[in-house]
């Protein structure tokens, strides 16, 4: 008879600094270290500390927690962070990742109105990927909706599997908002899936970023499949805690998300008895 054993992949579980908003980047490092996360993903945005490589290095050293990924400033609210030129933003994100020891840069596809950026995006992603060991992992997005109207805000497409990139990021809050099958998208990504943003959603028009297990997305199934497949990227908790009534409530949500992730990354595998 084969006996079940637990096999845990090499994937590290990180906390996105966006998960503590409206608290600071520095607070994210403190919480991640206290709760036992393996590292952090730095969302580069309007917080000056998130843009400052030396300040980030000091936080990492002080809390003894590594920076595993850098999320380039691709949001509407970060259009002027690290330049208004999108390629300059990515070059600075690459430099930050290399200096901080992060293995991954997360990138959103362009907005449709960034026409020149859109035209060059796929070839530019390959060019940058060939110049560094840092993974540029392009993230799935979603259509924007208002009532019964839908606007395609991203190009070449919000479904990044329709285009050719070396690495992908899967975000399960975004699959919920897009109302697409997350597991089918992961199958299309195949061995190019290099990074995971773990969150949940109910298919609302809004990008919810719920704590895993509180929505309809196959968060547990995804983690179990990563474990069985020996996934070697990072799993990043990227949830919305803005409605937390206190710091303690926010920390409880982030502890729950970490516990959920560790539980489902530990897969029961049958192996022959020796």
């Amino acid at each position: 008879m084969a006996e079940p054993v637990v096999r845990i992949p090499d994937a590290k579980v990180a906390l996105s600094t966006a998960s503590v908003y409206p608290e600071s980047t520095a607070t994210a490092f403190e919480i991640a270290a206290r709760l036992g996360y393996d590292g952090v993903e730095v969302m580069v945005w309007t917080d000056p500390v998130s843009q400052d490589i030396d300040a980030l290095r000091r936080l990492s050293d002080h809390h003894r927690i590594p920076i595993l990924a850098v999320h380039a400033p691709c949001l509407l609210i970060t259009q002027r962070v690290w330049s208004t030129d999108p390629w300059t933003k990515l070059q600075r994100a690459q430099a930050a990742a290399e200096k901080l020891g992060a293995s991954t840069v997360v990138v959103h596809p362009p907005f449709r109105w960034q026409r020149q950026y859109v035209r060059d995006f796929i070839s530019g992603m390959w060019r940058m990927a060939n110049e560094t060991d840092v993974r540029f992992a392009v993230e799935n997005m979603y259509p924007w909706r208002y009532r019964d109207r839908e606007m395609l805000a991203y190009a070449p497409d919000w479904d990044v599997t329709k285009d050719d990139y070396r690495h992908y990021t899967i975000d399960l809050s975004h699959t919920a908002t897009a109302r697409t099958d997350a597991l089918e998208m992961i199958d299309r990504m195949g061995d190019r899936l290099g990074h995971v943003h773990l969150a949940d959603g109910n298919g609302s028009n809004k990008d919810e970023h719920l704590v895993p297990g509180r929505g309809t997305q196959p968060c547990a199934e995804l983690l179990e499949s990563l474990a069985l497949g020996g996934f070697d990227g990072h799993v990043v908790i990227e949830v919305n805690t803005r409605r937390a009534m206190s710091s303690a409530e926010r920390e409880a949500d982030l502890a729950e998300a970490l516990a959920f992730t560790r539980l489902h990354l530990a897969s029961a595998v049958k192996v022959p008895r020796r």
Side-chain angles (χ1 to χ4, degrees):
M1 291 288 293
E3 294 181 351
V5 298
V6 172
R7 183 172 68 191
I8 301 173
D10 293 333
K12 290 182 170 62
V13 182
L15 178 66
S16 168
T17 58
S19 295
V20 306
Y21 183 83
E23 296 196 58
S24 68
T25 300
T27 300
F29 278 82
E30 179 184 344
I31 291 174
R34 185 161 58 244
L35 294 181
Y37 279 84
D38 298 320
V40 298
E41 174 178 298
V42 174
M43 171 69 81
V44 180
W45 56 0
T46 54
D47 181 349
V49 171
S50 74
Q51 305 169 30
D52 186 328
I53 293 173
D54 290 334
L56 292 170
R57 186 182 289 112
R58 287 194 295 271
L59 283 170
S60 178
D61 291 344
H62 177 73
H63 294 287
R64 297 182 181 180
I65 191 159
I67 297 169
L68 301 179
V70 173
H71 195 309
C74 306
L75 307 176
L76 283 173
I77 63 169
T78 60
Q79 289 185 87
R80 296 185 178 278
V81 172
W82 278 359
S83 170
T84 56
D85 176 66
W87 291 113
T88 300
K89 290 174 183 282
L90 296 189
Q91 289 163 359
R92 292 190 64 172
Q94 175 186 330
E98 290 171 344
K99 290 176 182 177
L100 294 167
S103 64
T104 303
V105 169
V106 179
V107 184
H108 289 183
F111 294 112
R112 297 188 73 85
W113 54 84
Q114 296 174 297
R115 294 181 181 178
Q116 185 60 50
Y117 186 37
V118 171
R119 280 194 291 270
D120 298 338
F121 185 67
I122 297 173
S123 61
M125 282 290 91
W126 276 99
R127 183 180 66 252
M128 294 191 75
N130 288 331
E131 294 173 352
T132 179
D133 291 332
V134 173
R135 291 181 175 181
F136 281 90
V138 185
E139 183 173 4
N140 64 300
M141 299 304 291
Y142 48 85
W144 290 3
R145 297 188 183 92
Y146 179 71
R147 295 180 179 174
D148 295 329
R149 300 183 65 181
E150 184 175 288
M151 182 177 84
L152 300 178
Y154 300 97
D157 203 285
W158 61 264
D159 180 352
V160 293
T161 64
K162 292 183 179 180
D163 297 298
D164 183 27
Y165 302 109
R166 178 167 291 176
H167 291 107
Y168 297 105
T169 296
I170 186 78
D171 184 306
L172 270 69
S173 178
H174 296 175
T175 57
T177 306
R179 299 168 192 166
T180 192
D181 187 311
L183 296 179
E184 286 185 0
M185 179 172 279
I186 291 164
D187 284 343
R188 294 196 297 276
M189 290 179 175
D191 60 7
R192 296 189 186 190
L193 175 61
H195 200 68
V196 175
H197 280 170
L198 193 67
D200 216 330
N202 289 309
S204 164
N205 286 349
K206 296 181 179 179
D207 184 16
E208 297 172 285
H209 282 274
L210 305 177
V211 170
R214 297 184 185 178
T216 61
Q217 293 303 286
C219 298
E221 293 92 331
L222 165 65
L223 293 169
E224 289 161 8
S225 70
L226 294 180
L228 290 169
F231 179 69
D232 65 350
H234 304 315
V235 178
V236 179
I237 304 299
E238 191 183 71
V239 296
N240 183 348
T241 62
R242 276 175 277 186
R243 293 187 178 181
M245 300 301 291
S246 65
S247 296
E249 184 177 329
R250 173 173 293 108
E251 194 162 322
D253 283 346
L254 298 177
E256 178 184 330
L258 178 61
F260 180 100
T261 304
R262 294 224 188 275
L263 172 65
H264 292 287
L265 270 178
S267 64
V269 183
K270 287 190 175 182
V271 297
R273 179 186 290 173
R274 296 194 178 193

